[in-house]
Amino acid sequence: MRRRPRTGFSLIEALVVLAIGGMALALIFSIGRSASDNGFRLGRNALTAADNEIAVADARTAIGSLLVRPLATMREPARQAIVGEPTSIEGEAVMRRATACAPRGWQGRMRLSIEPVGGRPALFCHAGEKSVRLMLLGPGAAFSYSTDGVLWTPTWSNAPQTGVGSNAPAPLESASVYLRLSNPGGPDIMETAASGFPPGWIIPSDQI
């Protein structure tokens, strides 16, 4: 009696095939999920880096837009002088371009300050009635100032000095100051604030 040739899979063979297929699918899904997670993580990192670049650029523009008036133009020192402290700097500003802080052009008094946010320092910009957080900073972040790029001090102002020699006429010449925002754990920011062109030394008539 001739046996019929066997066709198809036995139960054990079918179970083995299903097990191998299940492991292959699990491996594929695991790789796909890992690749997806990596893609999202890289995307978030790229967006964070782009946001930081924009924040640094806006901070540099705000610092460079501060107007360092020559002493000869000072008629109201309390209003026109720049006052720089370790945690803030305030003065008149003419924004060189529009930023998150303020639009382009004359802004009147503007203040950059380091303020705590959730236990971490952050850089804020206050212009007019608008206050904007530009970027988070590292612990110990602070402003420092230099007029020659060599000697740095924690405070600075271009207000006229009172006392000896205060009656002598002040020279009508441009002035500038180097300003550095040290940011431990992140990029330091260094920019120059200057008097700009002579037409910028005059306060607009509607601001007097």
Side-chain angles (χ1 to χ4, degrees):
M1 184 176 180
R2 180 181 298 177
R3 292 184 177 182
R4 292 181 180 179
R6 191 182 64 171
T7 60
F9 295 101
S10 68
L11 178 60
I12 294 177
E13 289 172 335
L15 292 175
V16 170
V17 170
L18 289 175
I20 293 174
M23 288 188 292
L25 288 175
L27 179 61
I28 291 172
F29 286 136
S30 175
I31 293 174
R33 184 169 57 251
S34 176
S36 176
D37 291 343
N38 288 336
F40 281 124
R41 184 164 55 252
L42 290 173
R44 285 194 299 268
N45 291 341
L47 289 175
T48 299
D51 288 342
N52 289 338
E53 289 292 331
I54 293 173
V56 169
D58 283 354
R60 288 174 59 90
T61 296
I63 293 171
S65 297
L66 289 167
L67 185 58
V68 184
R69 294 186 181 278
L71 293 180
T73 68
M74 294 289 191
R75 295 182 179 178
E76 300 175 29
R79 177 186 180 189
Q80 299 180 24
I82 291 180
V83 179
E85 301 288 344
T87 57
S88 68
I89 180 169
E90 180 178 359
E92 294 177 311
V94 180
M95 296 296 290
R96 300 182 298 193
R97 66 174 179 86
T99 65
C101 178
R104 185 170 182 262
W106 171 259
Q107 299 302 317
R109 298 292 288 185
M110 181 182 71
R111 181 166 63 91
L112 296 171
S113 60
I114 300 173
E115 305 173 20
V117 174
R120 182 176 176 180
L123 179 64
F124 281 81
C125 178
H126 309 274
E129 298 180 354
K130 186 178 181 181
S131 296
V132 177
R133 190 185 78 181
L134 294 180
M135 60 188 299
L136 291 173
L137 303 171
F143 290 110
S144 57
Y145 312 88
S146 175
T147 55
D148 58 8
V150 178
L151 179 62
W152 293 84
T153 60
T155 60
W156 180 84
S157 178
N158 65 330
Q161 299 297 315
T162 59
V164 179
S166 60
N167 294 326
L172 184 62
E173 59 185 19
S174 62
S176 63
V177 62
Y178 298 104
L179 189 150
R180 179 172 62 196
L181 173 57
S182 58
N183 180 23
D188 287 356
I189 298 174
M190 185 179 294
E191 189 57 76
T192 303
S195 53
F197 298 106
W201 300 348
I202 308 301
I203 299 178
S205 59
D206 61 344
Q207 299 289 330
I208 297 177

